Amino acid sequence: MRILQQRLLRGANLYSRMPCIVAVVESPLEEAGRQAAYTARYLQQACGEAVEFMHSEPAGDGEEGGPPRWRVVVQYTLEHLGQAALAAAVELISATGRGEAPDVATAVASLRALSASMQLPWSAQAVAREADALGIPVQRISEHGGLLRLGWGHRQWRYLAQAGDDNRLLTGTLLHERQLMRSLLIEAQLQVPAEDFQDPQRQPGERLRVQVLNGEAQHADAAVRGVAERAAITLGLDHAQVDLLPGRRAPKVDAVLGAPAPSHDQRDLLRALHADAARGRIPVIGITGTNGKTTTTLMIAHAVRLAGLRTGCASTQGITVAGQLYGEGDCTGYWSHRAVLASPQTEFAVLETARGGLLKRGLAYDRCSVGVMLNVSDDHLGLDGVDTVEQLARVKSLVVAAAEVAVLNADDAHCVAARGRLSADARAMYFSMKPDNAVLLAHLAQGGDAVWLEHDVIMLSQRQVRQRVIPAAHIPATCGGLARYNIANSLAATAALAASGFSVTQICAGLASFESDAATNPLRSNVFELDMMKIVLDYAHNPAAYAALATLARGLAQGQGQSKATGQAPGRVLAVVTSPGDRRDEDLTRTGATCAVHFDELFVYESASRGRGHGEAAGLIADGARAAGSAVVRQYDGAATAVQAAFLACQPGDVMVFACGTEVSTLIDAIRAIDAPAAARLAQQAMPAA
């Protein structure tokens, strides 16, 4: 038996509400998976750990007729102990398979020693138990130290058994506990030197010293300022001296020095926790679904910021806290969410939650104020043990299952079914594009809250009071009402904001001022105008997203190409399309078939092959399109040549769609090679507004 892969699911996950280790093991033994799970659990219990949950299931056959594989899931309380227990379980079972006597006593003794070395001091255990009993989130920053976080964001306290009198963030203590300081800086998405923090070896002139006064770093470089200010904020310092070292992506924090004002907050810790009506929690909105997550997340975060709250937001566009960029790229998983919740600045958190993050690490929070489930369709199937849309819906429903208020799409059967997974004291709030939706009407009749579209106006019913919010066409992200999917996203955002206590006036102001263009929300329905044609740039990469995007493109083509006065025919829609190669064959052919139905000409290109031969994914998409009867299908090795061919084929009145690109620059650079003036206009339109 051997372990092929393992992950730590640090929060609620597909298998349990408790943290679990999930591993794929390979063994020819019958019931090998169950034996491994049972033994790993037993070994932890023998160390005094209160773990109960275990699970095993087949994970497919090995490569080229190799031994069967099993997916093993076991609850843990200490990460390092859980991993060591699983490794020991595999070795004990392997010894039995070799005909050797398994040395259980030695394994247990070794694991007990490991467990003892990582236990919190008794006083920290007592504080953690009391906070947990009060419903306050408790998080251990690192198993190699006893630092605890009690609560989230600006409501958090930190506790360390050996700390003396200090403020609620333990600023004075942490300035002298360098390894714990390092853990907090890493959690805040800051880079630190890899070498020993206690005995750094530096070259003369290598260190950059930056002063932070009243929270503002005194340096000309924006990247340097951002890192220094975040380091100071993480430790609760208004004034600090931050030493930085050069880094590949950003400066590394080498040291933080400061002199915090004397404080006696820690003396009042338990009394303050008992008196805190919010129980250390800040409002948290979690957003999930197959399509529309990023736009809905940014829309909600924009409205929250506009209302004057220091907002922490994590999405595929990165992490921002109180308007400061913490990190770029896909930030939709556990560590990104934890960074937002851990920041002492965060007053309100808005967290986009993707399938991958849920499967790889689980939820970063035990519960959220509002959970939003936008939709569920076939995407990413056949990956990570998720093979059906129903299984995918179960994964995504983790967000609403942890919510006090669940915002559900009444037009999506999988979202409606997720209501059955809500906690007993949770409330459901539906949204729908159809005022006559049966689920919506039944919910309203029972006194429930809901949001819907009626005569192209967003309506809200809350506590049985109906209000008009805003005409859909007045929301810039809907492109005058043509982007129907962004109307649906606006409905979901309205429901989430209303459930969070925002007024109709605040919601309306947020929706009416949210721009979804290449500068603020790149690759999400970005519309560019070039003389007599338009280009729509979007990240669509699955059948449902392509079908929705086609509605916008077709509306734009009809709007600019048709004239009652001239009788001119509507323009065509030419689409440059692809999908990642890690999708199943049937998913890729279905993508092609969907595009064939909705677009006039297809320019299929190979993007991320992800394990397939180059061109194979594009070939399957093209085959699906041809089988569905598409008249014009062309195939290309890369995005640039496909974009150029489609651009040259466009006529006045046409709309060109470029989908599944990874950067706006891909479009601009491809056009520049054949039409420099047009590329310059695209670049100008992609720039942030002055």
Side-chain angles (χ1 to χ4, degrees):
M1 175 182 286
R2 63 181 180 134
I3 299 173
L4 301 178
Q5 178 191 91
Q6 61 178 309
R7 291 173 176 167
L8 290 166
L9 304 179
R10 292 183 165 91
N13 54 76
L14 181 60
Y15 307 98
S16 170
R17 298 294 303 169
M18 308 303 295
C20 294
I21 182 170
V22 57
V24 175
V25 300
E26 186 177 68
S27 173
L29 300 174
E30 291 187 14
E31 295 295 319
R34 181 170 178 80
Q35 289 180 40
Y38 177 85
T39 307
R41 184 184 68 172
Y42 162 78
L43 291 172
Q44 290 183 85
Q45 291 174 338
C47 297
E49 301 299 323
V51 296
E52 295 296 334
F53 179 79
M54 65 171 225
H55 170 76
S56 68
E57 61 187 19
D61 294 329
E63 295 178 0
E64 298 181 359
R69 294 176 176 179
W70 307 81
R71 186 170 290 104
V72 175
V73 188
V74 186
Q75 181 187 347
Y76 69 81
T77 52
L78 289 169
E79 292 182 0
H80 289 83
L81 180 64
Q83 290 176 299
L86 179 62
V90 167
E91 177 53 35
L92 291 171
I93 295 169
S94 296
T96 302
R98 295 190 299 265
E100 302 171 5
D103 191 351
V104 178
T106 299
V108 169
S110 175
L111 291 169
R112 282 177 175 168
L114 177 63
S115 176
S117 71
M118 293 188 167
Q119 293 298 329
L120 288 168
W122 70 266
S123 59
Q125 292 183 42
V127 169
R129 282 195 300 269
E130 189 153 1
D132 185 63
L134 290 169
I136 294 168
V138 178
Q139 194 165 52
R140 188 172 178 177
I141 305 303
S142 168
E143 290 186 352
H144 297 293
L147 181 61
L148 297 176
R149 177 185 298 107
L150 313 171
W152 293 330
H154 75 115
R155 296 187 180 278
Q156 71 181 275
W157 289 74
R158 294 172 184 155
Y159 179 82
L160 189 66
Q162 65 265 34
D165 201 14
D166 206 341
N167 61 26
R168 63 189 295 156
L169 295 180
L170 289 179
T171 302
T173 302
L174 291 170
L175 289 174
H176 299 92
E177 293 281 350
R178 305 297 293 276
Q179 290 293 350
L180 293 178
M181 181 197 298
R182 173 189 176 94
S183 296
L184 285 171
L185 294 173
I186 292 172
E187 184 184 54
Q189 306 280 303
L190 291 165
Q191 296 185 68
V192 299
E195 67 270 18
D196 185 358
F197 218 58
Q198 296 282 10
D199 185 23
Q201 301 295 318
R202 301 285 172 261
Q203 299 296 322
E206 186 179 18
R207 180 187 284 121
L208 172 65
R209 182 157 289 175
V210 181
Q211 299 295 329
V212 178
L213 302 175
N214 294 316
E216 295 185 4
Q218 311 300 297
H219 198 274
D221 186 89
V224 169
R225 289 199 306 273
V227 169
E229 289 168 6
R230 281 165 52 197
I233 288 166
T234 298
L235 297 173
L237 290 166
D238 291 326
H239 311 289
Q241 175 182 289
V242 181
D243 289 349
L244 303 175
L245 294 174
R248 185 170 59 87
R249 291 179 299 165
K252 297 179 180 180
V253 181
D254 187 43
V256 181
L257 302 173
S263 172
H264 307 298
D265 287 348
Q266 286 289 320
R267 297 181 189 177
D268 269 346
L269 184 146
L270 290 176
R271 186 181 301 113
L273 294 181
H274 278 271
D276 182 8
R279 294 294 184 254
R281 296 180 182 272
I282 59 174
V284 177
I285 298 179
I287 300 97
T288 192
T290 300
N291 296 310
K293 297 185 296 297
T294 298
T295 297
T296 306
T297 298
L298 297 180
M299 193 178 280
I300 293 170
H302 171 76
V304 174
R305 281 194 299 271
L306 202 63
L309 293 168
R310 289 201 305 266
T311 309
C313 178
S315 73
T316 57
Q317 300 303 324
I319 304 171
T320 56
V321 177
Q324 189 174 48
L325 183 67
Y326 268 41
E328 295 182 276
D330 190 342
C331 297
T332 58
Y334 175 89
W335 288 111
S336 300
H337 294 177
R338 181 163 162 172
V340 170
L341 296 172
S343 172
Q345 282 195 302
T346 307
E347 294 178 339
F348 198 112
V350 186
L351 308 174
E352 178 181 351
T353 311
R355 169 211 63 92
L358 290 170
L359 290 170
K360 290 180 176 67
R361 291 289 180 265
L363 283 177
Y365 45 84
D366 60 335
R367 73 172 191 262
C368 55
S369 314
V370 179
V372 181
M373 191 167 175
L374 294 170
N375 47 63
V376 183
S377 63
D378 53 341
D379 196 10
H380 297 97
L381 299 183
L383 302 174
D384 301 306
V386 177
D387 300 314
T388 67
V389 179
E390 289 71 24
Q391 290 173 328
L392 182 62
R394 276 198 60 217
V395 174
K396 293 185 179 295
S397 68
L398 287 170
V399 173
V400 294
E404 295 171 6
V405 179
V407 173
L408 303 170
N409 185 351
D411 300 328
D412 187 301
H414 296 291
C415 294
V416 174
R419 184 173 185 177
R421 303 187 186 106
L422 307 187
S423 60
D425 57 347
R427 294 188 295 112
M429 187 171 185
Y430 285 109
F431 69 93
S432 175
M433 292 284 286
K434 306 169 185 175
D436 58 350
N437 178 285
V439 173
L440 179 94
L441 293 177
H443 188 64
L444 289 171
Q446 294 167 2
D449 297 342
V451 176
W452 67 96
L453 188 69
E454 187 170 334
H455 303 304
D456 283 332
V457 174
I458 294 179
M459 302 294 296
L460 164 69
S461 178
Q462 200 170 24
R463 292 179 290 277
Q464 297 185 301
V465 176
R466 300 195 179 196
Q467 301 180 75
R468 185 178 187 273
V469 181
I470 185 174
H474 291 184
I475 302 170
T478 70
C479 298
L482 293 177
R484 306 299 288 178
Y485 49 91
N486 272 347
I487 298 178
N489 294 336
S490 300
L491 294 171
T494 298
L497 291 164
S500 300
F502 292 92
S503 69
V504 166
T505 300
Q506 290 171 317
I507 296 169
C508 184
L511 296 179
S513 58
F514 174 74
E515 298 285 348
S516 183
D517 55 28
T520 60
N521 191 16
L523 308 177
R524 269 78 186 178
S525 304
N526 306 151
V527 179
F528 298 87
E529 298 193 17
L530 290 175
D531 297 326
M532 294 298 291
M533 67 170 289
K534 292 185 179 180
I535 299 176
V536 180
L537 179 63
D538 195 271
Y539 189 61
H541 58 277
N542 57 57
Y546 275 122
L549 180 61
T551 304
L552 167 62
R554 190 66 65 185
L556 291 172
Q558 291 175 342
Q560 73 172 13
Q562 193 172 31
S563 168
K564 290 182 179 179
T566 64
Q568 183 180 353
R572 301 170 302 156
V573 178
L574 287 66
V576 183
V577 303
T578 191
S579 190
D582 57 1
R583 274 42 172 191
R584 301 175 304 179
D585 289 4
E586 57 265 39
D587 297 328
L588 293 171
T589 54
R590 190 182 309 115
T591 293
T594 300
C595 291
V597 170
H598 289 92
F599 301 116
D600 298 313
E601 293 187 21
L602 294 182
F603 300 76
V604 184
Y605 70 97
E606 183 77 4
S607 55
S609 298
R610 296 183 182 175
R612 292 182 182 270
H614 186 75
E616 184 181 347
L620 287 167
I621 295 171
D623 289 344
R626 293 187 184 102
S630 182
V632 182
V633 182
R634 302 180 182 89
Q635 187 176 334
Y636 300 86
D637 285 339
T641 52
V643 165
Q644 291 163 1
F647 182 80
L648 293 173
C650 284
Q651 301 171 3
D654 287 349
V655 172
M656 182 183 114
V657 169
F658 176 33
C660 202
T662 55
E663 294 182 359
V664 178
S665 60
T666 304
L667 170 68
I668 297 171
D669 291 345
I671 300 299
R672 184 176 290 115
I674 56 174
D675 191 334
R681 291 181 59 187
L682 293 175
Q684 184 177 23
Q685 292 178 48
M687 292 177 61

